């Protein structure tokens, strides 16, 4: 299958978005790995407590600090792929430039909120750093997990800025190809994709079986 040619006007945008995407992928991988590590640690905790009556010291403290990792590090990746929950009832009624303007305004509001949260979370980290804040049980320093929040939100802010640029080029010319921005998909298209994901392999196998049987029938004749 041939890939559609990238428009010349989007070359720089695509390069910047691709570079940011690599960082987002690494952050998302770290978040996924932290979930796996926490699950394995929970299994060890259960066996250690049940069989040996020796729970892992500070398990609750470790879990609390790990929550910042898998909660925030994947947020920019989720925004890029459109994996978050989107209310598209109104957007589904729009098309062309009107839809891209609505998307642009929505992302602009999100960016304002994220920048405010980023500003506040930085001072939350700085306070924990200066006073030497730590957990109650095993005295884990809390500043590393609190530092992850402004870092992850800063990455999300960059992604939102790029999406504003992406929507801006579509507002200027609605005929351009959408690049690295969430696109509204209607109910019929969504259902078709879900059916293909669920039954695609079976349909391919059935089609291959039918072709083999047809080939054998033709050879017999």
């Amino acid at each position: 299958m041939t890939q559609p040619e990238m428009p010349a006007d989007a070359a720089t945008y695509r390069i910047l978005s691709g570079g940011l995407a690599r960082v987002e992928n690494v952050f998302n991988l770290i978040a996924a790995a932290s979930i796996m590590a926490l699950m394995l640690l929970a299994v060890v905790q259960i066996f250690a407590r049940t069989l040996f009556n020796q729970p892992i010291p500070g398990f609750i403290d470790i879990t609390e600090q790990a929550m910042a990792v898998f909660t925030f590090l994947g947020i920019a990746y989720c925004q890029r792929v459109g994996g978050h929950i989107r209310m598209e009832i109104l957007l589904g009624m729009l098309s062309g430039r009107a839809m891209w303007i609505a998307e642009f305004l929505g992302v602009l509001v999100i960016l304002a909120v994220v920048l405010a949260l980023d500003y506040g979370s930085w001072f939350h980290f700085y306070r924990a750093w200066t006073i030497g804040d730590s957990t109650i049980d095993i005295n884990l320093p809390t500043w590393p997990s609190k530092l992850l929040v402004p870092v992850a939100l800063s990455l999300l802010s960059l992604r939102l800025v790029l999406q504003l640029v992406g929507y801006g080029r579509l507002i200027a010319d609605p005929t351009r190809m959408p690049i690295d921005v969430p696109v509204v998909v209607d109910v019929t298209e969504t259902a078709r994709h879900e059916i293909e994901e669920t039954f695609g392999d079976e349909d391919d196998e059935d089609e291959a079986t039918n072709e083999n049987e047809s080939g054998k029938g033709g050879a017999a004749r």
Side-chain angles (χ1 to χ4, degrees), residues 30-39 41 58-74 135 140-142 144-146 148-149:
I30 295 173
S34 69
I35 295 175
M36 175 63 71
L38 195 60
M39 290 174 58
L41 186 65
F59 176 75
I60 300 299
D61 291 5
I62 296 172
T63 302
E64 289 176 347
Q65 301 307 301
M67 287 178 65
V69 180
F70 59 77
T71 301
F72 289 96
L73 288 191
T135 59
L140 280 177
T142 61
S145 62
K146 292 181 179 180
L148 289 179
V149 179

Side-chain angles (χ1 to χ4, degrees), residues 13 16-17 20 24 76 79-80 104 107-112 114-115 153-169 179-181:
Y13 174 80
L16 293 174
S17 180
L20 189 62
E24 293 167 346
Q79 175 66 25
R80 186 185 91 225
F104 182 93
V107 173
L108 188 61
V109 172
I110 296 172
L111 179 60
V114 170
L115 288 177
L153 291 178
S154 297
L155 184 64
L156 176 60
S157 299
L158 293 176
R159 171 54 57 186
L160 292 172
V161 170
L162 278 178
Q163 288 190 345
L164 286 176
V165 175
Y167 285 128
R169 58 183 293 275
I179 300 174
D180 289 346
V181 293

Side-chain angles (χ1 to χ4, degrees), residues 9-163:
D9 67 290
T12 303
Y13 174 80
R14 186 60 171 168
I15 291 173
L16 293 174
S17 180
L20 189 62
R22 283 189 283 272
V23 180
E24 293 167 346
N25 291 339
V26 172
F27 275 36
N28 191 57
L29 182 62
I30 295 173
S34 69
I35 295 175
M36 175 63 71
L38 195 60
M39 290 174 58
L40 294 176
L41 186 65
V43 172
V44 174
Q45 162 79 351
I46 293 171
F47 277 100
R49 178 184 289 275
T50 303
L51 300 179
F52 308 106
N53 196 27
Q54 292 290 332
I56 298 176
F59 176 75
I60 300 299
D61 291 5
I62 296 172
T63 302
E64 289 176 347
Q65 301 307 301
M67 287 178 65
V69 180
F70 59 77
T71 301
F72 289 96
L73 288 191
I75 193 171
Y77 172 89
C78 188
Q79 175 66 25
R80 186 185 91 225
V81 301
H84 53 282
I85 297 175
R86 285 166 50 92
M87 299 302 294
E88 297 178 343
I89 298 176
L90 177 60
L91 289 175
M93 300 177 183
L94 304 176
S95 61
R97 183 174 281 110
M99 181 179 67
W100 301 128
I101 291 175
E103 291 277 19
F104 182 93
L105 294 176
V107 173
L108 188 61
V109 172
I110 296 172
L111 179 60
V113 174
V114 170
L115 288 177
L117 293 173
D118 198 5
Y119 180 80
S121 63
W122 171 260
F123 284 102
H124 193 50
F125 148 73
Y126 185 72
R127 184 171 58 252
W129 168 271
T130 53
I131 68 175
D133 187 33
S134 61
T135 59
I136 296 176
D137 190 3
I138 58 175
N139 295 321
L140 280 177
T142 61
W143 67 263
S145 62
K146 292 181 179 180
L147 177 60
L148 289 179
V149 179
V151 170
L153 291 178
S154 297
L155 184 64
L156 176 60
S157 299
L158 293 176
R159 171 54 57 186
L160 292 172
V161 170
L162 278 178
Q163 288 190 345

Side-chain angles (χ1 to χ4, degrees), residues 190-207:
T190 302
R192 187 177 68 82
H193 286 312
E194 292 178 352
I195 292 172
E196 288 178 352
E197 291 177 358
T198 304
F199 302 106
D201 296 338
E202 296 180 3
D203 292 341
D204 293 341
E205 292 176 359
D206 292 341
E207 184 177 350

